[in-house]
Amino acid sequence: MISPDTAMTSLRLLPLLNSLLILQVHLSNQLEDNKIPPSLCTGHPGIPGSPGVHGNPGQPGRDGRDGRDAAPGEKGEKGDRGDQGESGARGLTGDRGDPGDKGDRGQDGECAVAPKSAFSAKLSEGRTLPLTAGEAVRFDKIILNEQGDYSTETGRFTCKVPGVYYFSVHATVYRSSLQFDLMKNSHAVASYFQFYGNWPKPVSLSGGSLLHLIPGDQVWVQMALSEYNGFYSSTKTDSTFTGFLVYSDWKNSAVFA
C-alpha cells in the first residue's frame, strides 16, 4: 500500500511530466518536418537559386526635394528690337517737385547805363596849320574828352562804341579862303568851302554830318587844298571840331559807360 507522502510527491511531479511530454512531441514534429532549429543543427550554405521573374512596375514615387541653385549661365546675345508698342493712356499729373539747386551766376549783361562818347576841341590861338593837302587838322585844345576817344596828337576820333554819331566843324575863316573835308576811314563824307575876299573881318564856315561807326573807325578833318587853309583862331573867335554819340547799337557786348 502507497504511503500518503509518496502519493503527494507523485501529484507534485505530474505537471512536470506533462510538460516534458509536450516538449518531446513538439521536437518529434520538427524532426519529421525537417525543421530543425538552427540552434540545434547548423549546415553549409545552399546553392544560389535562379533569378526571379521581373516584377511589375511600381507606382510613381513622390516628388523629390528642390535641388541646389546652379551657377549663372553666360549672357546671351542681344535680341532683335521689338515693334513699337501703342501709346499708353496719359498718366495723372505728378506732384510738384522740390525746388532745384541755385544755378551758377550768368555772364554779365549789357550795362544798364547808356554808353557815352563825346568830345569837343578847338585850335589854339596863333597855331600854324599844315599847308599840305591830305593832312589832318589837329584841334589841339581840349574842351571835352571824358572818354578819351579824340587824340590831339593825330586830330582823329576813334570809335569804341558802335552806333550813330554826329560830327560838326565850325571854322573861323580869315586871311585866306578855306576848303576842308570831313573824313571817315580815308573817305571824304562831306566837303566845305568858304571864299575869303579880303574882308576886314573874319567870316564863319560850319557844317556837320551823321555817321554810323563801328569800333575802330576813325573820323577827322582834312585839308582839301594847300592854298585854301584859312582856319583862324584868336582870343575872340574859335575854330572847333565836335562829335558825340546819338545812339548805340550794342547788343551782346560790353559797353563803356
Side-chain angles (χ1 to χ4, degrees), residues 70-93:
E74 297 181 358
K75 185 176 181 180
E77 297 180 356
K78 185 176 181 179
D80 297 333
R81 183 172 182 177
D83 298 333
Q84 184 173 357
E86 297 180 358
S87 300
R90 182 169 182 174
L92 300 176
T93 302

Side-chain angles (χ1 to χ4, degrees), residues 61-255:
R62 297 179 180 179
D63 293 336
R65 293 182 297 177
D66 293 337
R68 296 180 180 179
D69 293 337
E74 297 181 358
K75 185 176 181 180
E77 297 180 356
K78 185 176 181 179
D80 297 333
R81 183 172 182 177
D83 298 333
Q84 184 173 357
E86 297 180 358
S87 300
R90 182 169 182 174
L92 300 176
T93 302
D95 298 333
R96 183 168 183 173
D98 297 330
D101 297 334
K102 185 175 181 179
D104 297 334
R105 182 174 180 176
Q107 298 179 352
D108 293 336
E110 295 184 11
C111 183
V113 179
K116 301 174 183 178
S117 181
F119 77 96
S120 185
K122 65 180 182 179
L123 293 175
S124 298
E125 295 86 354
R127 178 174 174 80
T128 302
L129 296 178
L131 300 178
T132 304
E135 292 187 14
V137 179
R138 290 182 294 169
F139 296 83
D140 60 319
K141 193 170 183 179
I142 295 295
I143 301 173
L144 175 70
N145 191 27
E146 293 181 351
Q147 292 74 38
D149 296 341
Y150 174 78
S151 171
T152 57
E153 297 296 326
T154 63
R156 301 187 182 201
F157 167 85
T158 301
C159 173
K160 294 179 182 176
V161 180
V164 174
Y165 290 78
Y166 180 75
F167 295 92
S168 66
V169 182
H170 174 79
T172 298
V173 183
Y174 187 55
R175 298 175 183 170
S176 177
S177 298
L178 177 62
Q179 184 173 353
F180 62 87
D181 299 324
L182 182 63
M183 306 294 295
K184 173 188 172 182
N185 298 337
S186 300
H187 297 284
V189 294
S191 297
Y192 306 92
F193 175 77
Q194 173 64 53
F195 176 76
Y196 180 74
N198 292 322
W199 299 305
K201 293 183 179 181
V203 295
S204 297
L205 172 60
S206 299
S209 179
L210 282 169
L211 300 176
H212 184 271
L213 304 179
I214 62 175
D217 285 345
Q218 290 187 329
V219 178
W220 67 94
V221 177
Q222 182 172 290
M223 297 300 298
L225 295 174
S226 298
E227 59 271 24
Y228 295 158
N229 59 356
F231 272 109
Y232 180 76
S233 181
S234 68
T235 56
K236 295 183 179 181
T237 183
D238 292 303
S239 294
T240 61
F241 179 33
T242 300
F244 56 88
L245 176 66
V246 178
Y247 62 85
S248 71
D249 51 15
W250 282 114
K251 293 183 179 179
N252 296 312
S253 301
V255 295

